[in-house]
Amino acid sequence: MTQNVWDAEAATFDEQPDHGLRDPVVRAAWAELLLPLLPPAPAGVADLGCGTGSLTLLLAEAGHDVCGVDLSARMLDEARAKTAGLRVELRQGDAADPPCPDHSCDVVLVRHVLWAMPDPAAAVGRWVRLLKPGGLLLLVEGRWSTGAGLTAAECRELVLAHRQEAAVRQLTDPALWGAEIEDERYLVVSRS
């Protein structure tokens, strides 16, 4: 996917319930999923492929220092509008090789980005290098009914090539997505 494609998607991207988190039920479901996993605030979180900044906003409102990175300038414009007044840094860059220093993050969060990487193994390796010792890697991914995506087993193996631990949690709760789902969606949690 190119910057132009994501720029064109920016104006309507948040119309999907799990993208915009506008529905209070969907937003609460994401907060209940992610916030208990994070270290105490203020943790340094890199939200890679942050899009319009919905998760960036959620984490910043919980007191975390969030750096959102996205390829699309228009997505970042939407993210800036959402996060105005909060302690958030937004950077334009490729999520596969984000403009963040090695060993600078307590948490790296990436949602529905890895599957689209030309070299997923290299991307995971780069993301792991961003983490401070003991840092937390959170990957929300899926294998969609279209056949696109990564299975949980594939994603877990990519993480285990760089980390000692990778736990998978299936994300079947319709509250996360704003509707029932038929495809595989999951969270990989790696603490070491």
Side-chain angles (χ1 to χ4, degrees), residues 88-100:
V88 168
E89 184 177 353
L90 297 168
R91 299 176 186 169
Q92 187 170 3
D94 186 349
D97 188 17
C100 304

Side-chain angles (χ1 to χ4, degrees), residues 13-91:
F13 190 76
D14 282 352
E15 292 174 7
Q16 292 294 318
D18 61 306
H19 291 177
L21 306 185
R22 294 174 176 163
D23 181 330
V25 172
V26 175
R27 191 173 200 286
W30 281 98
E32 290 169 17
L33 173 68
L34 295 176
L35 296 180
L37 297 171
L38 300 182
V45 181
D47 180 7
L48 305 180
C50 69
T52 61
S54 296
L55 291 180
T56 301
L57 174 63
L58 183 76
L59 301 179
E61 287 179 336
H64 296 288
D65 294 327
V66 186
C67 176
V69 174
D70 203 273
L71 187 61
S72 166
R74 289 197 179 144
M75 290 280 190
L76 289 172
D77 288 342
E78 298 290 327
R80 281 185 190 88
K82 279 184 192 175
T83 61
L86 294 172
R87 187 171 46 190
V88 168
E89 184 177 353
L90 297 168
R91 299 176 186 169

